[in-house]
Amino acid sequence: MTSRISLLPSQVVGQIAAGEVVERPASIVKELVENSLDAGSRSIDVHVAEGGRDLIRIVDDGEGIASDDLPLAVASHATSKIQSADDLFRIQTMGFRGEALASIAAVSDFRLQSRPADQPTAARLEVQQGDIGPVVACGGPIGTQIEVRQLFGSVPVRRKFLKSKQTELSHISETMIRLALARPGIDLKLSHNDRTLYHRPADMDLVGAIDLFFGQEIARSLIPIDGEEEGLRLTGVVANPEVNRPTQRYQYLFVNGRFIRDRSLAHAVVEAYRGLILSGRYPVSFLFLTVPPDQVDVNVHPTKIEVRFEEPRRLFSLILSTIRERFLRSDLSAKWSMPARADFPSASTAAMARNQLNNEFALSGNRPLATQPSLWSHPKPAIDPGWTLSRPSEILSHPNPISIPSDDDPFGSTDRTDEPMPSADMPPEVSGPSSQNRTFEEGRPTDLASPLPSDRADATGPIERVRAIQVHNSYLVVETDEGMMLVDQHALHERILYEQFRARVAGQGIEVQELLVPEPIDLTPLQTALLLEQREVLADLGLGIEEFGDRCVLVQRHPALLGRMTLGEMIREIASRLEETGKLPTRDEILQDLLHMMACKAAVKAGDPLTGQEIESLVRQRHLVDDSHHCPHGRPTVLRFTLNDLEREFQRK
Amino acid sequence: MKATCHREGLLSAFQVASGVVPQRSPRPILRSVKLVFSPPDQATLLATDLEIGIRYLLSGIDVDEAGSIVLPVGETMSILRELPDERINLRAGDGGVLIEAASSRFELATEDPQEFPDVPEMGSEPAHRTKAGVLLGMIRRTSFACASENSRYALHSVLVEFEEGRFKFIATDSKRLAIMPGAVEVAGEVPEGNWLLPPKALNLITRVLADPEEEVSFVLRDNEALFRTGKVVIYTRLVEGRFPKYQDVIPPEVNFQIPLPVGPFYGVVRQSRILTNDESRGVDFEFAEGELRLESRASQLGQSEVRMPLGYSGNSIGVTYDPQLLIDALKVLDPSEEIRLELADNRRASVFRTRDDYAYVVMPLIRDR
């Protein structure tokens, strides 16, 4: 059969075009709220049901659309926002492409009702999956209301590819947060299944909004930023480096009132924090750039999340220098310039990082910093490959493989594989029958390097000679047969405890403690909603929670297994995990998380002095840290140095 | 200021006061106590951490010259402990205090007594009265049940309530709840409202109550409370916050009533706790006709079975408890006493009751095997 070329029917064209703009419910929310903003609305109310799959409703009090214009509103490339191509370079509105409504209407049951102030009644237009109906007069308030139902009803493939309602909801929530931060002075409300998630009143300032969306910890740590350079202006707030996050999600950047993503500018922020936070952790920042409209091209991508700048270097240096100067001026710098104390307090790594920053500032002021191969503050990126000695090939070719780790990647977490440790690597008392019964659904890779029998002897054999010292109450320096290694004592202990807890919990059910008096736990509205959505999974785990207002849940029962964690810590930990991954965790995953948290809490901390016996007992189980993919802070746990490398460094070879 | 004191009397006052003195404080003077001497033979010792304060009246002192001094707690207690003498002399000097005994002499650099914060005194207002023994029993049987830290509810506290002729102490950490009533002579009308006492203040009170027949008077104000015995006044700020509605936690229906002798029961619970750990905390209690059987099992540890004869003839019931919660309460009960366990079923709160109206409510564990 020969295929003939033919023009596609307009409905199909619409569905294809929709793919670019309407990626998921959150993109619809974004487009529609931006329209409302462009229409001069003072108050915008967004309601979604079932993560936006079933319903997205937006009600604004903006200027409205004249009833005659309604059919045009849902036609492609029809817009009131620009008139000609020249306007593209002077864009002051959020949208301009004239695609959004047409695209959305093409793939949903769409209802648009609007009434401009000078029109006595409202008018309504319905579009059923691309079929445009007539304009009908009706009663209604001034402003525009849009309802989007049955998203992708006519494109089952796309509908199937929508993620769980939690995931879609967290995308919508994120969209609203971005819009709210970008546009202060507007009353914005988001509700889901009749529950109000966020309500940002028009008079709430930036810090208030950050408190609302991200909680007190961040809101209380904010440092205001203000910088200017030849027509470019940077304002906003950044968090004290002590408050940081494991992802870059909390770096918000807005250009001319529009949320954007820009790798180079994000890097400028990270650069400004360099030395102040650990590698694998990222700053929290809310930055607002004002750039003359003719120096930025926002018409690069349909969702306008990426933009092109005329002079990106100037923006980079504006961000870097403004934040850095602010840090140097603030109380922070006074604290950093104190001489390093001999006994490091709780977070000695942070102290190290501060010291290093201090040095950097002393040396280099504002210029980009050369990377020093410091072992302490950024072990991961900073180490020259030559230092990571025990690469597999080298190990396997080593003449005396007695205590060589059998793990594929002896450098542990550098590339954080998600492979669990082969069971043979566990010491016998841990890998007994109880851990075989698969309470944890971990696949057991069979293709790993075959475990060396001597490794077990290493773990338990009393003959083994342990030569180790503790330095700065935080790290253990251990002599090994092939050279030496540096171990993060906390990470090692945490890992050991995790294995112990896991073995103990495996094979026995979870005990649940009922509470006489339910305990209220404060959360953010989104966390509250996410937890309540997961109520059944959590109940399976012994965690009984009830609704108690928008920002609070009541805990009725909890797993007796809390360790040194408080109930609030556990609930918040689970909630923020739900928030970050957006996926439904299984019972085993939550349990595993719980055990990790318990292990982390119970483990010795950096800064805890250890006795010789404690060091010895820790070091005897050191093989466990080779599989450190779970180190929750994304840091390496072990650094290895072979004799060969030491000799090379000392130029004996 | 100049006086001669009985060394051991002064030492025991210091020992009580040291329960108030903070371990560390941004105001170093709080690490000291103040002594106010008034002729002919009395002195008052004051200590406070600004939340809780104590006024301790010492008598039998030869006061040669009235006045006040401030003494650092740690050093002074060591001196009083080490000296062999029966009596010692205290004298205020320039910027310091001199402690003299037969063959020893200590000059302590001390702070200005004027700087020492005042500890409120009980006014002339009418006070409620109870017996030391009653108060002591109420504190012992409730304060251990407090939560160790505050959540949204003010659980790190003991609630005080009044009813006709009695007052009650109530404490809970939301896993268990203890209620103990005691006889009181109320000054005026039966007070309405509720007051939250910090456990640290109650602990301090137990250290000054010796004779159970001694009278204790107390007043409860809006945000503070004062307790007075013969020679000591204890002041405390009240805990702020809300105490949960505790009345609803006791199930109204009782389907099982099991008599338990405290001593033997305490013994078997302690035995059954041995083979439990954090991950497997529960002990299964099987109350049957004539016998109680306790079973515990913890992986990597082992299992245990403990039996005890029981004067019970009703239906059998199995409940799982965290043994530590029972031990906490059994520890403060008289071993020769008999208590009664009341149950609706094995999921709702269980209540242990004594003859003198002590109620200890425990939430069972639920095990999903």
Side-chain angles (χ1 to χ4, degrees):
Chain A
M1 182 184 139
T2 45
S3 300
R4 301 288 305 273
I5 295 173
S6 58
L7 275 176
L8 289 168
S10 67
Q11 202 176 336
V12 179
V13 172
Q15 289 181 1
I16 292 173
E20 288 178 40
V21 181
V22 187
E23 199 186 345
R24 56 184 356 149
S27 17
I28 295 180
V29 171
K30 174 172 181 289
E31 295 298 334
L32 296 184
V33 173
E34 284 182 353
N35 281 346
S36 296
L37 290 169
D38 286 343
S41 308
R42 307 309 306 162
S43 158
I44 303 169
D45 191 340
V46 179
H47 178 79
V48 297
E50 297 303 304
R53 300 158 136 256
D54 290 2
L55 170 68
I56 300 169
R57 183 197 301 128
I58 288 165
V59 178
D60 72 33
D61 60 353
E63 60 188 21
I65 306 167
S67 57
D68 295 345
D69 288 350
L70 286 182
L72 263 179
V74 293
S76 281
H77 301 296
T79 183
S80 59
K81 297 178 184 180
I82 56 174
Q83 309 293 337
S84 69
D86 287 349
D87 290 347
L88 275 178
F89 300 98
R90 289 188 293 272
I91 285 164
Q92 304 284 351
T93 50
M94 306 283 283
F96 52 83
R97 296 166 66 110
E99 283 176 324
L101 292 189
S103 302
I104 297 165
V107 292
S108 67
D109 292 347
F110 180 86
R111 191 162 91 170
L112 168 61
Q113 177 184 317
S114 193
R115 177 182 156 202
D118 56 3
Q119 201 172 290
T121 56
R124 183 196 296 155
L125 171 69
E126 292 193 11
V127 184
Q128 301 277 338
Q129 307 286 343
D131 285 342
I132 304 178
V135 175
V136 188
C138 62
I142 293 170
T144 303
Q145 299 174 33
I146 293 177
E147 277 185 19
V148 178
R149 291 180 189 271
Q150 291 301 314
L151 180 60
F152 298 132
S154 57
V155 200
V157 189
R158 301 275 320 261
R159 188 164 172 87
K160 215 173 77 191
F161 274 95
L162 286 177
K163 296 287 196 305
S164 72
K165 65 182 173 190
Q166 287 76 31
T167 309
E168 298 302 343
L169 177 61
S170 60
H171 283 291
I172 292 171
S173 162
E174 178 64 25
T175 300
M176 287 297 283
I177 289 174
R178 291 171 182 174
L179 290 164
L181 293 176
R183 297 295 288 265
I186 288 172
D187 187 291
L188 274 179
K189 192 168 147 193
L190 171 65
S191 50
H192 180 243
N193 293 352
D194 296 323
R195 164 192 299 281
T196 300
L197 291 184
Y198 297 117
H199 180 198
R200 200 281 307 270
D203 58 357
M204 187 180 263
D205 65 3
L206 176 62
V207 174
I210 291 171
D211 185 6
L212 174 69
F213 298 135
F214 303 99
Q216 281 184 357
E217 189 202 6
I218 289 178
R220 285 186 180 163
S221 74
L222 297 173
I223 302 166
I225 293 294
D226 195 345
E228 196 161 8
E229 193 197 301
E230 292 169 55
L232 306 177
R233 174 98 192 269
L234 173 71
T235 57
V237 290
V238 299
N240 183 310
E242 284 169 13
V243 176
N244 50 58
R245 289 291 178 269
T247 71
Q248 284 198 292
R249 245 192 67 183
Y250 297 87
Q251 274 171 255
Y252 285 83
L253 178 62
F254 301 86
V255 174
N256 298 346
R258 188 193 298 281
F259 174 85
I260 65 144
R261 236 188 246 128
D262 187 291
R263 291 184 63 155
S264 152
L265 298 185
H267 184 63
V269 178
V270 172
E271 196 62 26
Y273 276 77
R274 176 205 275 278
L276 290 169
I277 50 186
L278 292 164
S279 68
R281 304 290 293 183
Y282 295 93
V284 176
S285 61
F286 304 89
L287 297 176
F288 299 82
L289 274 171
T290 313
V291 181
D294 58 355
Q295 291 184 24
V296 54
D297 182 1
V298 288
N299 190 21
V300 178
H301 188 264
T303 63
K304 307 178 196 88
I305 201 157
E306 283 165 28
V307 300
R308 237 173 247 140
F309 297 107
E310 208 168 87
E311 293 175 283
R313 287 301 307 173
R314 279 178 59 210
L315 290 166
F316 185 96
S317 79
L318 174 66
I319 291 178
L320 177 61
S321 62
T322 308
I323 301 179
R324 281 235 151 173
E325 276 166 22
R326 185 69 182 89
F327 282 173
L328 280 173
R329 262 193 296 128
S330 64
D331 290 350
L332 294 171
S333 60
K335 199 159 64 185
W336 297 329
S337 58
M338 285 195 304
R341 286 192 289 153
D343 59 327
F344 289 101
S346 55
S348 71
T349 40
M352 291 287 194
R354 281 201 291 275
N355 287 337
Q356 201 218 343
L357 177 95
N358 215 15
N359 296 338
E360 285 185 351
F361 276 169
L363 292 172
S364 61
N366 250 343
R367 98 192 134 79
L369 302 152
T371 306
Q372 284 285 112
S374 157
L375 293 178
W376 306 105
S377 46
H378 357 267
K380 211 159 48 174
I383 289 173
D384 177 278
W387 284 80
T388 59
L389 308 166
S390 32
R391 271 161 302 187
S393 58
E394 285 179 0
I395 297 172
L396 295 175
S397 63
H398 197 282
N400 178 16
I402 289 303
S403 64
I404 284 169
S406 60
D407 200 290
D408 248 354
D409 170 22
F411 197 55
S413 65
T414 36
D415 59 9
R416 308 231 291 149
T417 55
D418 273 332
E419 285 163 343
M421 169 173 40
S423 60
D425 249 356
M426 286 186 229
E429 75 268 20
V430 179
S431 66
S434 56
S435 68
Q436 302 282 352
N437 67 10
R438 307 194 144 259
T439 302
F440 298 90
E441 297 170 344
E442 290 190 354
R444 292 237 161 74
T446 49
D447 56 344
L448 283 181
S450 58
L452 302 171
S454 58
D455 209 45
R456 286 206 211 172
D458 176 292
T460 50
I463 331 119
E464 195 213 4
R465 186 179 49 129
V466 174
R467 291 180 63 172
I469 58 161
Q470 188 189 29
V471 294
H472 291 292
N473 289 345
S474 300
Y475 302 94
L476 306 176
V477 183
V478 185
E479 186 188 83
T480 59
D481 283 344
E482 65 270 29
M484 59 174 260
M485 64 182 192
L486 284 165
V487 184
D488 178 331
Q489 66 185 38
H490 170 71
L492 171 57
H493 193 211
E494 180 183 311
R495 185 70 200 165
I496 293 168
L497 288 175
Y498 171 73
E499 291 301 335
Q500 285 174 358
F501 291 154
R502 199 174 74 147
R504 279 195 233 161
V505 169
Q508 67 190 24
I510 300 166
E511 285 173 348
V512 178
Q513 175 71 63
E514 290 266 346
L515 296 183
L516 285 163
V517 186
E519 182 156 340
I521 307 283
D522 291 320
L523 297 163
T524 69
L526 179 64
Q527 288 175 334
T528 309
L530 291 175
L531 273 182
L532 289 172
E533 305 262 357
Q534 298 300 329
R535 207 184 319 210
E536 280 162 30
V537 181
L538 296 173
D540 200 28
L541 197 81
L543 199 57
I545 56 167
E546 299 290 331
E547 185 173 345
F548 194 64
D550 291 340
R551 311 191 70 176
C552 186
V553 293
L554 279 184
V555 180
Q556 306 274 19
R557 66 190 67 84
H558 63 77
L561 179 82
L562 272 181
R564 277 165 44 175
M565 242 185 311
T566 67
L567 187 55
E569 282 171 337
M570 185 183 78
I571 300 285
R572 272 185 277 269
E573 202 58 71
I574 293 176
S576 58
R577 197 181 129 92
L578 277 174
E579 205 175 23
E580 305 229 321
T581 61
K583 75 169 199 240
L584 186 115
T586 65
R587 182 177 184 275
D588 285 344
E589 277 171 346
I590 295 186
L591 188 57
Q592 221 166 332
D593 266 15
L594 259 172
L595 295 179
H596 271 297
M597 285 184 253
M598 281 180 55
C600 183
K601 291 275 169 187
V604 296
K605 303 283 179 291
D608 291 348
L610 300 177
T611 66
Q613 280 177 347
E614 287 171 322
I615 294 172
E616 194 175 319
S617 135
L618 273 179
V619 170
R620 278 191 193 283
Q621 299 176 75
R622 63 175 180 251
H623 55 285
L624 286 173
V625 292
D626 290 339
D627 168 53
S628 55
H629 62 273
H630 266 300
C631 170
H633 312 297
R635 300 181 304 225
T637 54
V638 181
L639 305 178
R640 290 174 190 278
F641 305 86
T642 67
L643 209 48
N644 235 327
D645 294 304
L646 292 176
E647 283 167 348
R648 198 160 53 219
E649 285 300 313
F650 285 110
Q651 303 186 356
R652 286 170 174 268
K653 278 191 175 175
Chain B
M1 172 268 135
K2 202 175 159 194
T4 307
C5 315
H6 192 248
R7 181 183 60 87
E8 279 183 5
L10 190 59
L11 177 58
S12 56
F14 262 82
Q15 276 162 344
V16 171
S18 68
V20 183
V21 172
Q23 292 298 313
R24 57 189 76 78
S25 168
R27 285 178 70 179
I29 197 166
L30 297 181
R31 298 276 298 123
S32 301
V33 300
K34 183 177 178 180
L35 280 162
V36 183
F37 293 88
S38 38
D41 62 349
Q42 285 196 330
T44 308
L45 182 151
L46 290 83
T48 181
D49 65 357
L50 301 179
E51 293 288 320
I52 296 171
I54 185 169
R55 303 176 75 97
Y56 194 117
L57 187 68
L58 292 149
S59 48
I61 295 173
D62 297 333
V63 182
D64 298 332
E65 200 181 307
S68 303
I69 54 171
V70 166
L71 287 170
V73 167
E75 293 76 8
T76 311
M77 272 175 73
S78 300
I79 293 169
L80 294 176
R81 232 183 255 122
E82 296 298 336
L83 289 179
D85 310 69
E86 194 183 330
R87 295 182 80 79
I88 54 159
N89 296 316
L90 292 170
R91 193 143 47 95
D94 290 338
V97 171
L98 188 67
I99 301 178
E100 274 180 324
S103 52
S104 321
R105 182 189 145 87
F106 298 88
E107 279 186 53
L108 292 163
T110 61
E111 305 199 43
D112 181 0
Q114 300 297 324
E115 300 288 309
F116 198 86
D118 190 36
V119 177
E121 169 67 292
M122 201 129 149
S124 55
E125 65 195 289
H128 314 301
R129 288 180 300 171
T130 187
K131 288 267 187 336
V134 170
L135 185 61
L136 211 52
M138 292 170 71
I139 296 173
R140 280 214 192 106
R141 288 179 174 194
T142 54
S143 64
F144 70 87
C146 292
S148 57
E149 61 183 81
N150 279 326
S151 64
R152 276 234 327 211
Y153 287 122
L155 297 186
H156 186 55
S157 67
V158 172
L159 172 73
V160 186
E161 279 187 351
F162 287 86
E163 55 188 43
E164 203 57 52
R166 299 206 299 186
F167 71 136
K168 290 192 290 188
F169 279 11
I170 301 110
T172 181
D173 65 356
S174 81
K175 288 182 239 166
R176 37 85 183 277
L177 176 124
I179 308 175
M180 181 67 197
V184 68
E185 265 181 58
V186 169
E189 296 280 295
V190 174
E192 280 187 32
N194 45 49
W195 295 265
L196 296 174
L197 298 173
K200 187 181 171 188
L202 295 172
N203 186 30
L204 185 67
I205 292 172
T206 63
R207 292 168 73 162
V208 300
L209 298 180
D211 175 9
E213 290 304 314
E214 189 181 5
E215 186 180 89
V216 181
S217 51
F218 61 99
V219 295
L220 299 166
R221 298 181 188 150
D222 281 349
N223 48 19
E224 57 193 21
L226 288 144
F227 291 81
R228 180 166 60 196
T229 67
K231 54 182 182 181
V232 179
V233 174
I234 287 170
Y235 160 88
T236 178
R237 289 220 204 136
L238 295 178
V239 175
E240 283 177 26
R242 235 153 39 85
F243 200 84
K245 278 188 70 168
Y246 71 93
Q247 293 86 348
D248 308 336
V249 306
I250 301 176
E253 82 195 87
V254 176
N255 298 326
F256 302 87
Q257 288 205 7
I258 303 156
L260 293 163
V262 169
F265 185 56
Y266 185 27
V268 292
V269 176
R270 284 204 322 264
Q271 285 185 42
S272 71
R273 183 186 53 175
I274 297 169
L275 294 188
T276 62
N277 57 24
D278 274 357
E279 295 79 43
S280 182
R281 198 173 300 182
V283 170
D284 296 329
F285 287 63
E286 180 76 26
F287 298 94
E289 191 173 330
E291 186 180 72
L292 162 64
R293 200 171 74 237
L294 294 80
E295 285 183 3
S296 66
R297 179 177 297 115
S299 74
Q300 294 199 313
L301 212 53
Q303 47 188 304
S304 71
E305 186 190 298
V306 184
R307 291 158 192 274
M308 176 187 125
L310 200 62
Y312 171 64
S313 53
N315 291 331
S316 298
I317 181 166
V319 199
T320 306
Y321 294 114
D322 178 345
Q324 189 57 49
L325 297 185
L326 304 192
I327 286 171
D328 288 345
L330 292 168
K331 193 163 35 182
V332 297
L333 295 177
D334 179 355
S336 62
E337 217 175 332
E338 187 177 271
I339 54 174
R340 194 172 68 229
L341 169 59
E342 295 180 354
L343 291 165
D345 54 42
N346 59 8
R347 293 187 72 95
R348 278 181 280 173
S350 311
V351 189
F352 295 86
R353 292 186 189 279
T354 68
R355 288 184 204 282
D356 54 356
D357 284 345
Y358 175 54
Y360 186 64
V361 187
V362 179
M363 213 58 189
L365 288 172
I366 296 163
R367 190 174 296 148
D368 121 59
R369 291 239 183 235

